[in-house]
């Protein structure tokens, strides 16, 4: 079809895979990139519409590898200082019926889109399949991780719920929408090792929370502390739950080794774990603002080790966790996580861009080229404002500013730009 070509000229065009030109240009044909790079190399194709964005950095859509869109109705809430108390409060505020869950997810999808999100790893709380339906209806690709809970004798129920849901999804038509169901064993204190082993055998993406808090470390080591108290209060404790005398990563080693997990947080990691996580091809879903919100890692502990993880060859991608933890009520965006790390740690912008795009896409089983400027289908293009009169590198300026991004090429309609479930 002719007449759909657009030449976008911008102050900088950049992706995480080495395409970088300032000034730069991207030639698109509908939802496909034809070429990107220096304006002279692309020229002025006849018949193409031209869009001039001299004060914008043009970059690919972003990947939020760990979020909880179904908690979006709660909005940002300050942390009271007690993790178990927080879990309790969220449980009580969680949307109860299908309509309320759907509405919360829709709000989360709108906020994620406003944040420039092209792909999500979304945790579907309480084992609900409502979120995957809403993601599908909105055309937001990625993985909906069905969250399950099951400790002690309750592990069988959790395994059954996962197995049945995966079977149901795999029977569906329309699997070319770039959206998959994944397994989401919640955390090592709320799911037993059998649930993890079963999740790892399902042949779908798997995500969990791991080594998030000192309370979790205490629980796995000694089967005591505030999280043991929580399980008892919830009436799910039984005598088959015991102390493992181990760190949660070592405790789950069998399952983590069996399939590449997405492990959220990893606030408390020992030296020896770095090599293991690299060997196991675990992706660390680092949610910097959420970690800071909860005060992790705690004083006296080493700061979050994401840079050492990267040096050790561990894949680290960015997530936001839920809107509850965020300081941006108008959007859910890993660009704000990049900004947070750039300001706090001075982390290299290109490293951050990789964490916010291709690293997450690989973890979600999507084609990472969807979130680069490589020729072919695109999961959308974003423009982020900078000041062309400021001599500082435009991408660094974007990381110093707080402006929202805007979509300049919308994500392709379902089925057109996304990879299928087997890639
Ligand atoms: Zn989470």
């Amino acid at each position: 079809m002719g007449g759909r070509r657009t030449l976008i000229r911008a102050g900088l065009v950049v992706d995480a895979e080495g395409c970088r030109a300032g000034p730069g240009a991207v030639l698109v044909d509908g939802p496909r990139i034809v070429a990107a790079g220096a304006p002279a190399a692309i020229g002025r194709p006849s018949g193409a519409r031209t869009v001039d964005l001299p004060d914008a950095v043009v970059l690919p859509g972003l990947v939020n590898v760990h979020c909880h869109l179904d908690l979006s109705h709660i909005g940002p809430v300050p942390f009271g200082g007690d993790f178990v108390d927080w879990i309790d409060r969220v449980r009580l505020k969680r949307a109860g019926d299908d309509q309320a869950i759907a509405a919360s997810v829709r709000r989360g999808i709108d906020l994620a889109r406003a944040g420039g999100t092209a792909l999500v790893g979304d945790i579907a709380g309480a084992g609900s399949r409502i979120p995957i339906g809403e993601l599908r209806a909105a055309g937001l690709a990625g993985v909906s991780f069905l969250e399950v809970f099951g400790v002690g004798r309750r592990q069988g129920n959790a395994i059954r719920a996962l197995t049945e849901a995966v079977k149901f999804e795999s029977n569906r038509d329309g699997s070319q929408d770039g959206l998959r169901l994944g397994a989401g064993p919640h955390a090592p204190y709320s799911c037993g090792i059998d649930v993890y082993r079963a999740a790892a055998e399902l042949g779908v993406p798997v995500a969990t929370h791991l080594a998030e808090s000192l309370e979790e470390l205490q629980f796995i080591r000694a089967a005591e502390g505030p999280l043991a108290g929580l399980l008892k209060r919830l009436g799910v404790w039984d005598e088959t739950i015991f102390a493992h005398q181990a760190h949660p990563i070592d405790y789950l080693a069998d399952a983590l080794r069996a399939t590449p997990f997405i492990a959220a947080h990893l606030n408390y990691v020992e030296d020896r774990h770095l090599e293991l996580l690299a060997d196991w091809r675990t992706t660390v879903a680092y949610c910097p603002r959420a970690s800071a919100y909860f005060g992790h890692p705690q004083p006296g502990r080493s700061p979050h080790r994401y840079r050492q993880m990267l040096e050790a060859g561990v894949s680290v991608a960015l997530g936001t966790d839920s809107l509850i933890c965020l300081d941006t009520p108008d959007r859910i965006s890993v660009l704000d996580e990049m900004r947070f790390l750039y300001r706090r740690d001075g982390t290299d912008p290109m490293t951050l861009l990789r964490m916010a795009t291709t690293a997450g896409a690989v973890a979600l089983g999507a084609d990472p080229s969807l979130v680069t400027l490589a020729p072919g289908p695109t999961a959308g293009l974003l423009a982020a404002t900078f000041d062309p009169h400021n001599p500082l590198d435009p991408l660094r300026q974007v990381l110093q500013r707080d402006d929202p991004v805007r979509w300049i090429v919308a994500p392709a309609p379902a089925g057109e730009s996304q990879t299928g479930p087997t890639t």
Side-chain angles (χ1 to χ4, degrees):
M1 205 160 73
R4 300 195 329 171
R5 287 195 160 199
T6 304
L7 180 67
I8 300 155
R9 298 190 296 198
L12 176 70
V13 302
V14 64
D15 71 12
E17 294 302 304
C19 177
R20 184 185 176 101
V26 186
L27 179 62
V28 295
D29 187 347
R32 297 179 69 87
I33 293 174
V34 179
I42 292 173
R44 269 198 100 145
S46 62
R49 187 170 69 100
T50 301
V51 176
D52 277 312
L53 305 167
D55 63 349
V57 174
V58 168
L59 69 163
L62 304 170
V63 182
N64 186 341
V65 82
H66 182 83
C67 54
H68 298 256
L69 297 180
D70 62 3
L71 297 176
S72 300
H73 66 288
I74 301 174
V77 178
F79 180 53
D82 182 326
F83 183 51
V84 174
D85 180 59
W86 186 90
I87 295 174
D88 258 343
R89 281 164 189 267
V90 170
R91 279 182 46 248
L92 294 174
K93 286 184 176 174
R94 200 172 254 299
D97 60 77
D98 289 357
Q99 277 191 341
I101 294 170
S104 188
V105 173
R106 281 198 298 272
R107 174 164 161 68
I109 290 170
D110 288 346
L111 294 172
R113 283 292 195 209
T117 309
L119 300 169
V120 285
D122 181 43
I123 307 297
S128 173
R129 288 209 296 267
I130 298 292
I132 196 170
E134 293 300 327
L135 291 169
R136 188 165 276 136
L140 183 52
V143 180
S144 176
F145 292 100
L146 202 78
E147 186 165 68
V148 292
F149 301 83
V151 287
R153 292 207 192 86
R154 290 164 195 267
Q155 294 184 77
N157 293 342
I159 293 168
R160 260 191 302 283
L162 278 180
T163 311
E164 280 167 20
V166 168
K167 209 161 108 189
F168 178 84
E169 256 319 291
S170 66
N171 288 338
R172 286 184 65 99
D173 283 341
S175 53
Q176 294 301 310
D177 53 10
L179 187 63
R180 300 180 69 185
L181 190 78
H186 171 253
Y189 57 85
S190 56
C191 283
I193 185 70
D194 293 345
V195 180
Y196 278 92
R197 288 197 185 110
E201 296 297 321
L202 285 171
V204 298
V206 190
T208 189
H209 298 92
L210 183 58
E212 179 176 7
S213 66
L214 295 175
E215 290 90 338
E216 174 188 331
L217 268 58
Q218 179 189 18
F219 178 85
I220 297 300
R221 188 179 61 246
E224 60 183 32
L227 289 168
L230 176 67
L231 297 185
K232 286 172 185 164
R233 259 190 300 122
L234 294 175
V236 297
W237 180 275
D238 65 53
E239 71 286 354
T240 66
I241 299 167
F242 61 95
H244 297 281
Q245 310 293 349
H247 185 282
I249 295 176
D250 302 309
Y251 163 59
L252 293 185
D254 275 2
L256 293 170
R257 190 183 291 117
T259 198
F261 269 68
I262 296 176
H265 305 309
L266 289 170
N267 292 318
Y268 300 99
V269 170
E270 311 282 340
D271 284 341
R272 67 180 185 284
H273 295 137
L274 300 179
E275 202 180 325
L276 291 173
L277 293 168
D279 283 352
W280 297 337
R281 294 185 297 135
T282 304
T283 292
V284 176
Y286 182 27
C287 307
R289 285 184 292 168
S291 286
Y293 168 92
F294 288 113
H296 298 311
Q298 293 209 349
R301 297 288 182 142
S302 92
H304 196 282
R305 302 181 69 171
Y306 70 101
R307 285 176 292 188
Q308 288 160 288
M309 291 170 180
L310 289 166
E311 278 169 27
V314 180
S315 179
V316 183
L318 289 174
T320 56
D321 226 351
S322 76
L323 184 62
I324 300 171
C325 311
L326 302 181
D327 50 3
T328 47
D330 60 328
R331 62 190 186 237
I332 297 175
S333 180
V334 291
L335 174 59
D336 294 310
E337 307 296 336
M338 294 170 66
R339 287 167 163 158
F340 181 90
L341 293 179
Y342 180 74
R343 292 169 198 183
R344 189 188 69 188
D345 304 335
T347 306
D348 167 51
M350 295 309 292
T351 301
L352 294 171
L353 188 57
R354 198 168 304 118
M355 291 163 70
T357 55
T358 49
V362 170
L364 296 174
D367 178 353
S369 73
L370 290 170
V371 288
T372 70
L373 300 178
T378 172
L381 295 179
L382 303 170
T385 306
F386 77 101
D387 175 4
H389 303 295
N390 182 336
L392 184 69
D393 168 63
L395 185 55
R396 286 180 187 270
Q397 285 191 50
V398 168
L399 297 178
Q400 286 183 349
R401 300 168 66 116
D402 288 309
D403 317 64
V405 287
R406 57 193 194 278
W407 289 96
I408 48 169
V409 173
E416 197 164 337
S417 81
Q418 316 295 351
T419 52
T422 54
T423 47

